[in-house]
């Protein structure tokens, strides 16, 4: 029989604590909510009232249920009020000495059988537990932000946590409607260990002006389907909390440089820019605690780049190549009203591409997304050719041939001879340096990367890669073209992986390393990222879809260019590729896909 929890205590009612109070009170558990001062108590109460009022306004909570929920919470200053609760969850700032002091005090105040839990994200639960005389009753219960919404709870057992306590807490999580994964006490547990290197890397990109905050966030939302971008997430977590988590993970987690907090984070914390809670972090909010972003001096003035930025007029577009990307890109341009010249290596290939474009447009008609007239008009705008000479009068060329530098360089050298002056020459490469391709021409200022995502007609993102030789007009043209295609163009520098792959693949590689170290299972790691962070797929699901060989190749490129030791491909990934387990396409990757 699992233990009954009729009354729990929550210590610290900040970003996490107030949400945790709501989780319990919503599920019929009485809560003693404790803060350090009357002022802090009021803030916690206001957070809970605000959140439940929003739920009522959205029709997700009846007024009577809200009133019952609020009546279950007893607000108190000081820990003495916790003498009769069955469980305490501590959610005070991420400092070991503070948490140890609080646990020593809780040990004195609470009844002997009470379970003492910490919501720490990165500190050692074991070190916290030894501040009490009951380390076997101390456990980590790590909720995710916002606690009422996120389904995941990481239950962290130390070497001395008793099995009964673990089982009781697991049953409690179920009662709260949460999905729990139980793991050992290691810095960052599952989700944060995989998340924070990525967040820190994104802040580094922003700090080095590699891309703007809007573009970094848009890239991860639109390129990977994440619920929010990394900088907006830093603001939600709180920069002070994020700093402490990174710092602890750096010190506890083997001094991985990727966890050493980017200096900008410390500067922002010192300047009081803590994120949503202080009203300003990477973005500016309507007021402290508000989720609503308001414009500030960094907000881009116009969403759509005007011709005044120097963007050149584009009417006719050449697309070179006959693969998946070229086919999708031809469709995208033709649908958007551009005249398109498709160049392949022969009539047979052209016929195949033409068929594929027709099939895709017909699917659009069947789904009611494209009218028959628009389909016919789009097809009528495409000219099929097998010679580059037909690109003599286009305004923009998009190259999507095989991912080999020598082939692309030879092609760009030919384009340089054939195309009229002022043409923008774009490559869709996902891993080669754009500058190498640009320098194969006599006009590197006109060369830019246009990194479309697969499938191009569906994915809303294009990375616009500017080299150190790309002119402002060329970038402005690329931006304007993306806007007319209905895509979000994000501008970034010419570095391996651009924004999306550089942030995504090291995280996937870290997940493989975590599995290899037997810290958790592929299923639990996938759950943790989906239910704790709202990712559309877990890392192993995604790796199997993308292909393990493709992922390994990208990771190798990142490692070779950036020389970051933490980017070294996981040996397990290499072994699976060698064994021919490439993911869905070969029937087996991290999972067996033949039996489904
Ligand atoms: N922010 C997140 O996204 C997130 C997610 C999961 C876990 N966590 C963890 O939750 C914990 C709390 O983080 P947070 O982001 O909510 O911090 P926060 O700064 O928003 O809130 C901390 C609260 O603790 C109160 N406090 C400080 N000393 C106290 C004391 N002696 N007694 C009672 N209350 C006290 C503060 O007044 C403040 O309201 C940390 O361990 C953090 O790592 C945070």
């Amino acid at each position: 029989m699992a233990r009954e929890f009729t009354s729990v205590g929550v210590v610290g009612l900040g970003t996490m604590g107030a949400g945790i109070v709501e989780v319990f009170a919503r599920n019929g558990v009485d809560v003693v909510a404790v803060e350090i001062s009357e002022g802090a108590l009021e803030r916690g109460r206001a957070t809970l009232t605000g959140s439940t009022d929003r739920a009522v306004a959205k029709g997700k909570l009846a007024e009577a249920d809200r009133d019952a929920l609020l009546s279950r919470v007893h607000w108190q200053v000081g820990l003495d009020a916790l003498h009769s609760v069955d469980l305490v969850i501590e959610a005070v700032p991420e400092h070991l000495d503070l948490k140890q002091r609080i646990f020593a005090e809780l040990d004195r105040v609470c009844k002997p059988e009470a379970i003492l839990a910490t919501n720490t994200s990165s500190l050692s639960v074991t070190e916290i537990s030894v501040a009490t005389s009951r380390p076997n009753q101390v456990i980590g219960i790590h909720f995710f932000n916002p606690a009422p919404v996120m389904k995941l709870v990481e239950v962290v057992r130390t070497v001395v946590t008793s099995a009964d306590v673990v089982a009781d807490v697991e049953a409690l999580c179920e009662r709260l409607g949460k999905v729990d994964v139980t793991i050992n006490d290691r810095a960052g547990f599952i989700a944060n260990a995989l998340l924070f290197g990525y967040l820190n890397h994104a802040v580094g990109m922003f700090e080095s002006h590699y891309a703007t905050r809007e573009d970094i966030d848009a890239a991860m939302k639109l390129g990977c389907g994440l619920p929010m971008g990394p900088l907006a997430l830093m603001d939600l977590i709180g920069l002070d909390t994020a700093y402490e988590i990174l710092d602890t993970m750096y010190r506890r987690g083997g001094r991985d440089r990727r966890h050493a907090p980017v200096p900008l984070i410390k500067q922002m914390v010192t300047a009081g820019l803590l994120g949503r809670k202080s009203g300003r972090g990477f973005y500016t909010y309507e007021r402290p605690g508000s989720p609503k972003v308001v414009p500030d001096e960094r907000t881009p003035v116009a969403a759509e780049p005007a011709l005044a930025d120097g963007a050149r007029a584009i009417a006719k577009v050449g697309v070179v190549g006959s693969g998946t990307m070229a086919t999708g890109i031809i469709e995208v341009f033709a649908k958007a009203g551009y005249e398109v010249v498709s160049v392949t290596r022969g009539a047979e290939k052209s016929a195949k591409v033409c068929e594929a474009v027709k099939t895709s447009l017909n699917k659009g008609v069947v789904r009611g997304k494209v009218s028959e007239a628009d389909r016919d008009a789009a097809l009528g705008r495409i000219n099929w050719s097998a010679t580059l000479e037909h690109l003599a009068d286009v305004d923009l060329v998009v190259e999507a041939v095989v991912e080999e530098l020598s082939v692309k360089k030879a092609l760009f050298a030919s384009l340089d001879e054939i195309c009229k002056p002022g043409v923008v020459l774009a490559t869709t490469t996902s891993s080669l340096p754009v500058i190498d391709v640009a320098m194969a021409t006599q006009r590197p200022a006109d060369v830019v990367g246009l990194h479309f995502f697969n499938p191009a007609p569906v994915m809303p993102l294009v990375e616009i890669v500017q080299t150190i030789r790309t002119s402002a007009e060329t970038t402005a043209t690329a931006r304007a073209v993306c806007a007319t295609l209905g895509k979000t163009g994000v501008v970034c520098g010419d570095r391996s992986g651009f924004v999306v792959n550089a942030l995504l693949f090291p995280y996937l590689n870290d997940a493989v390393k975590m599995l290899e170290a037997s810290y958790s299972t592929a299923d639990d790691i996938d759950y943790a990222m989906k239910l704790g962070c709202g990712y559309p797929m877990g890392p192993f699901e995604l790796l199997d879809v993308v292909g393990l060989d493709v992922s390994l190749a990208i990771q190798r490129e990142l490692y070779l260019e950036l020389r970051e030791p933490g980017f070294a491909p996981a040996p397990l990934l290499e072994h699976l590729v060698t064994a021919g387990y490439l993911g869905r396409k070969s029937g087996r990757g991290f999972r067996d896909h033949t039996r489904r």
Side-chain angles (χ1 to χ4, degrees):
M1 261 290 280
R3 181 199 298 237
E4 265 297 306
F5 294 93
T6 49
S7 156
V8 306
V10 176
V11 181
L13 308 173
T15 307
M16 286 312 291
I20 296 171
V21 169
E22 182 174 337
V23 171
F24 281 104
R26 257 179 191 247
N27 286 282
V29 182
D30 281 335
V31 185
V32 181
V34 169
E35 257 293 349
I36 197 167
S37 67
E38 287 294 344
L41 199 61
E42 260 329 295
R43 274 200 303 279
R45 195 202 294 261
T47 307
L48 179 64
T49 319
S51 168
T52 49
D53 284 353
R54 278 196 298 278
V56 170
K58 283 189 198 154
K60 290 188 174 168
L61 185 68
E63 269 186 47
D65 291 340
R66 176 208 39 209
D67 296 344
L69 184 164
L70 294 177
S71 74
R72 280 185 209 110
V73 186
H74 312 281
W75 306 91
Q76 300 286 341
V77 171
L79 300 178
D80 287 339
L82 298 168
H83 51 82
S84 56
V85 298
D86 305 312
L87 162 76
V88 179
I89 300 193
E90 161 280 312
V92 303
E94 190 77 343
H95 298 294
L96 182 62
D97 50 344
L98 172 65
K99 292 196 191 261
Q100 284 182 324
R101 251 189 294 126
I102 287 186
F103 271 72
E105 187 67 12
L106 288 173
D107 190 33
R108 192 183 57 74
V109 170
C110 294
K111 56 188 186 189
E113 65 274 26
I115 294 175
L116 307 181
T118 171
N119 184 49
T120 182
S121 308
S122 57
L123 296 169
S124 159
V125 179
T126 316
E127 281 184 63
I128 295 171
S129 76
V130 294
T132 74
S133 64
R134 54 178 113 175
N136 57 334
Q137 282 162 241
V138 175
I139 191 164
I141 305 184
H142 185 231
F143 284 88
F144 286 76
N145 190 1
V149 179
M150 302 314 290
K151 279 250 169 264
L152 184 76
V153 175
E154 288 173 325
V155 175
V156 186
R157 60 172 170 232
T158 72
V159 283
V160 290
T161 311
S162 90
D164 295 356
V165 168
V166 175
D168 290 343
V169 167
E170 286 171 341
L172 174 67
C173 290
E174 206 166 300
R175 178 178 161 199
L176 298 174
K178 301 289 184 194
V179 173
D180 61 280
V181 295
T182 301
I183 42 189
N184 294 334
D185 186 16
R186 212 174 89 163
F189 315 128
I190 298 176
N192 285 348
L194 297 180
L195 184 69
F196 271 83
Y198 147 71
L199 293 178
N200 204 34
H201 190 179
V203 176
M205 282 184 175
F206 173 73
E207 189 190 51
S208 62
H209 304 284
Y210 181 65
T212 65
R213 62 180 185 189
E214 282 83 4
D215 280 359
I216 293 171
D217 280 354
M220 296 315 284
K221 273 168 69 174
L222 302 178
C224 306
L226 304 188
M228 50 171 47
L231 303 177
L233 180 54
M234 286 289 287
D235 276 358
L236 174 69
I237 292 169
L239 270 72
D240 49 346
T241 302
Y243 177 86
E244 293 303 332
I245 294 173
L246 279 166
D247 191 50
T248 315
M249 284 184 37
Y250 175 73
R251 282 184 284 106
R252 279 185 72 204
R255 301 197 177 252
D256 182 339
R257 276 203 320 217
R258 292 177 304 154
H259 293 141
V262 167
L264 179 65
I265 303 176
K266 186 59 181 264
Q267 289 161 28
M268 289 176 72
V269 171
T270 309
L273 308 178
L274 305 183
R276 277 192 199 183
K277 61 182 158 190
S278 70
R280 180 145 191 187
F282 288 101
Y283 295 90
T284 303
Y285 298 86
E286 201 170 31
R287 64 193 132 66
S290 163
K292 190 164 173 223
V293 173
V294 293
D296 59 19
E297 72 283 358
R298 284 189 195 276
T299 307
V301 236
E304 292 201 4
L307 289 178
D309 293 341
R312 298 176 197 152
I314 305 286
K316 196 167 178 184
V317 179
V319 180
V320 187
S322 51
T324 316
M325 289 315 288
T327 307
I329 293 167
I330 292 168
E331 179 183 337
V332 167
F333 276 100
K335 264 202 308 209
Y338 289 94
E339 203 185 323
V340 179
V341 182
S342 152
V343 179
T344 71
R345 279 174 300 158
E348 214 174 289
K349 293 220 185 268
S350 288
K352 258 176 98 180
V353 178
C354 179
E355 237 1 87
V357 173
K358 272 189 195 156
T359 308
S360 173
L361 285 169
N362 281 336
K363 273 191 199 152
V365 172
V366 171
R367 291 196 191 123
K369 290 191 171 163
V370 185
S371 73
E372 287 189 14
D374 286 350
R375 171 199 61 195
D376 297 342
L379 286 170
R381 279 192 282 269
I382 311 172
N383 302 292
W384 305 98
S385 164
T387 99
L388 290 173
E389 272 68 28
H390 285 135
L391 300 177
D393 65 342
V394 300
D395 308 307
L396 162 71
V397 179
V398 181
E399 162 281 309
V401 303
V402 67
E403 189 78 342
E404 261 175 47
L405 188 56
S406 57
V407 176
K408 291 195 194 269
K409 278 168 84 164
L411 173 63
F412 271 71
S414 305
L415 291 173
D416 193 22
E417 289 182 1
I418 293 165
C419 295
K420 64 184 183 188
V423 173
V424 169
L425 301 177
T427 169
T428 54
T429 182
S430 22
S431 60
L432 302 169
V434 177
I435 189 66
D436 277 335
V437 179
M439 294 312 286
T441 73
Q442 301 297 314
R443 42 175 127 178
D446 297 331
V447 178
V448 71
L450 276 183
H451 185 226
F452 284 83
F453 288 73
N454 189 14
V458 178
M459 296 296 286
L461 182 74
V462 177
E463 286 173 318
I464 300 171
V465 186
Q466 47 182 8
T467 73
I468 39 171
R469 299 284 297 263
T470 307
S471 73
E473 295 79 47
T474 301
T475 304
T477 309
R479 270 183 177 282
V481 166
C482 289
T484 43
L485 295 177
K487 309 273 183 205
T488 299
V490 301
V491 178
C492 62
D494 185 19
R495 250 172 36 184
S496 182
F498 310 136
V499 176
V500 174
N501 287 354
L503 291 177
L504 178 68
F505 283 88
Y507 142 74
L508 296 175
N509 193 49
D510 284 346
V512 180
K513 288 182 186 166
M514 183 179 274
L515 181 70
E516 197 170 21
S518 300
Y519 179 60
S520 185
T521 63
D523 285 349
D524 278 0
I525 296 172
D526 276 353
Y527 275 137
M529 297 317 289
K530 284 197 290 189
L531 303 177
C533 304
Y535 283 24
M537 281 189 202
F540 298 106
E541 278 175 288
L542 186 57
L543 280 160
D544 274 4
V545 170
V546 172
L548 274 54
D549 50 344
V550 174
S551 307
L552 178 62
I554 295 175
Q555 191 60 28
R556 275 198 186 130
E557 286 292 335
L558 286 169
Y559 180 50
L560 282 177
E561 180 168 312
L562 302 170
R563 313 284 169 108
E564 166 56 61
F567 286 175
L572 175 61
L573 187 59
E574 309 225 14
H575 294 175
L576 288 167
V577 172
T578 309
Y581 295 165
L582 306 182
R584 281 203 194 166
K585 60 185 168 191
S586 72
R588 182 162 175 181
F590 284 96
R591 296 194 173 90
D592 184 350
H593 299 278
T594 54
R595 280 178 293 164
R596 294 186 185 189

